[in-house]
């Protein structure tokens, strides 16, 4: 797990409502995660995972499982026995399986419709992707939006998952704004969540004088030299969000 700096969102509720394994997903939204949705930046895999789960919840899809980006890489590129076992179970218990894949610096997406016996693989750079009908053993071409830059693949696979028509999608820049709104809309209540470590604050914690965010004692000591009157670092740089 990577270090946390400024927690501006926590999405544990979304994952728990969908029955996800908490050990496989990073629920914290750090400031740098949010800023990865700025213009001409590559978004982090944790942001992609959270956004896909939000889309699953919004669409009220039932009996759906979503793999993490790491699991997708291990399944398709590393032939992981653990991930293959998870997939085998999902194929018998779920109606839809979503697998974002991040082998290096480029996102792709695999989607399995178990009921219709279809496997769809979306590679944002490539044309003429195929739907593979597992039972009938034939391929059908799928037209979809083609990525024209080098940094919006994560945005494109979120759009591909959401849109019924893969050729008619919102521009990546506009969709990034939509993703930011969704992340803030679905974040947990942060009243007693420490701005810096994401832990639950106790009665001895302090609050920022501007935004009211809580900061626990250890983080107050580390970041603010034990001051009792705090203007948090996030408020100091808020104009850059």
């Amino acid at each position: 797990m990577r270090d946390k700096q400024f927690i501006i969102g926590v999405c544990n509720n979304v994952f728990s409502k969908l029955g996800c394994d908490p050990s496989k997903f990073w629920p914290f939204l750090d400031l740098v995660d949010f800023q990865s949705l700025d213009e001409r930046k590559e978004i982090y895999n944790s942001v992609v995972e959270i956004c896909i789960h939000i889309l699953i919840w919004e669409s009220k899809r039932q009996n759906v499982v979503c793999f993490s980006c790491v699991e997708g890489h291990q399944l398709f590129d590393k032939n992981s026995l653990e991930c293959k076992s998870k997939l085998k179970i999902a194929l018998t218990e779920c109606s839809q399986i979503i697998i974002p894949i991040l082998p290096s610096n480029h996102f792709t997406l695999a989607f399995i419709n178990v009921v219709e016996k279809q496997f769809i693989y979306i590679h944002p750079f490539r044309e003429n992707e195929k739907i593979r009908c597992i039972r009938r053993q034939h391929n059908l071409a799928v037209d979809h939006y083609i990525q024209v830059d080098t940094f919006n693949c994560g945005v494109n696979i979120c759009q591909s998952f959401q849109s019924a028509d893969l050729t008619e999608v919102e521009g990546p820049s506009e969709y990034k704004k939509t993703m930011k709104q969704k992340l803030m809309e679905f974040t947990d209540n942060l009243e007693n969540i420490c701005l810096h470590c994401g832990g639950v604050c106790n009665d001895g914690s302090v609050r920022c004088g501007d935004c009211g965010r809580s900061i626990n004692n250890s983080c107050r000591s580390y970041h603010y030299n034990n001051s009792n009157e705090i203007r948090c670092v996030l408020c100091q740089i808020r104009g850059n969000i």
Side-chain angles (χ1 to χ4, degrees):
M1 292 296 188
R2 57 187 172 83
D3 292 336
K4 301 182 285 290
Q5 296 297 324
F6 309 113
I7 304 301
I8 63 171
V10 182
C11 294
N12 276 316
N13 282 342
V14 172
F15 289 124
S16 63
K17 286 176 181 177
L18 294 172
C20 300
D21 181 350
S23 68
K24 301 298 184 184
F25 299 98
W26 181 254
F28 296 100
L29 282 169
D30 197 287
L31 176 62
V32 293
D33 297 319
F34 204 67
Q35 289 174 329
S36 76
L37 287 166
D38 291 345
E39 285 286 333
R40 303 187 65 83
K41 289 187 176 181
E42 297 179 0
I43 65 176
Y44 293 149
N45 59 325
S46 58
V47 176
V48 169
E49 291 164 355
I50 291 173
C51 285
I52 288 178
H53 281 83
I54 288 173
L55 294 173
I56 293 172
W57 179 255
E58 279 190 320
S59 63
K60 298 184 180 352
R61 300 189 189 202
Q62 300 294 317
N63 205 21
V64 179
V65 66
C66 181
F67 283 56
S68 70
C69 295
V70 171
E71 289 177 314
H73 170 52
Q74 291 174 339
L75 178 64
F76 282 88
D77 300 304
K78 300 294 185 180
N79 203 26
S80 164
L81 294 178
E82 179 183 352
C83 293
K84 287 172 67 176
S85 176
K86 178 177 178 177
L87 178 61
K88 184 177 180 179
I89 294 171
L91 286 168
T92 61
E93 296 181 352
C94 301
S95 58
Q96 296 179 351
I97 304 168
I98 299 100
I99 311 175
I101 307 159
L102 184 61
S104 54
N105 293 317
H106 183 64
F107 288 99
T108 59
L109 179 71
F111 173 75
I112 301 174
N113 187 325
V114 180
V115 177
E116 298 294 330
K117 297 188 180 300
Q118 291 180 336
F119 174 87
I120 303 174
Y121 177 74
I122 298 295
H123 189 303
F125 277 140
R126 296 178 185 168
E127 298 184 31
N128 300 320
E129 299 295 346
K130 303 291 185 180
I131 293 180
R132 182 167 180 79
C133 297
I134 300 172
R135 182 172 55 190
R136 300 184 183 90
Q137 297 296 313
H138 69 269
N139 294 329
L140 304 172
V142 181
D143 293 326
H144 64 88
Y145 174 86
I146 304 299
Q147 182 181 340
V148 296
D149 52 53
T150 60
F151 45 82
N152 276 319
C153 52
V155 179
N156 293 152
I157 68 163
C158 289
Q159 290 177 290
S160 298
F161 173 70
Q162 181 179 22
S163 177
D165 184 349
L166 300 183
T167 63
E168 296 292 331
V169 297
E170 193 175 14
S173 296
E174 290 303 311
Y175 194 72
K176 280 185 171 182
K177 296 177 184 177
T178 300
M179 293 173 76
K180 283 185 175 182
Q181 292 171 353
K182 288 183 183 297
L183 291 172
M184 291 296 93
E185 178 183 350
F186 281 86
T187 189
D188 301 353
N189 187 328
L190 300 178
E191 182 179 1
N192 293 315
I193 300 297
C194 178
L195 170 65
H196 294 284
C197 70
V200 177
C201 291
N202 54 35
D203 293 337
S205 63
V206 295
R207 295 185 182 274
C208 170
D210 286 2
C211 69
R213 284 292 305 275
S214 296
I215 299 163
N216 68 27
N217 285 329
S218 60
C219 291
R220 176 178 63 166
S221 174
Y222 183 80
H223 293 282
Y224 305 99
N225 198 26
N226 282 323
S227 174
N228 288 319
E229 295 184 5
I230 291 176
R231 183 170 185 255
C232 74
V233 181
L234 185 58
C235 282
Q236 296 174 33
I237 61 176
R238 190 171 293 278
N240 294 325
I241 299 179

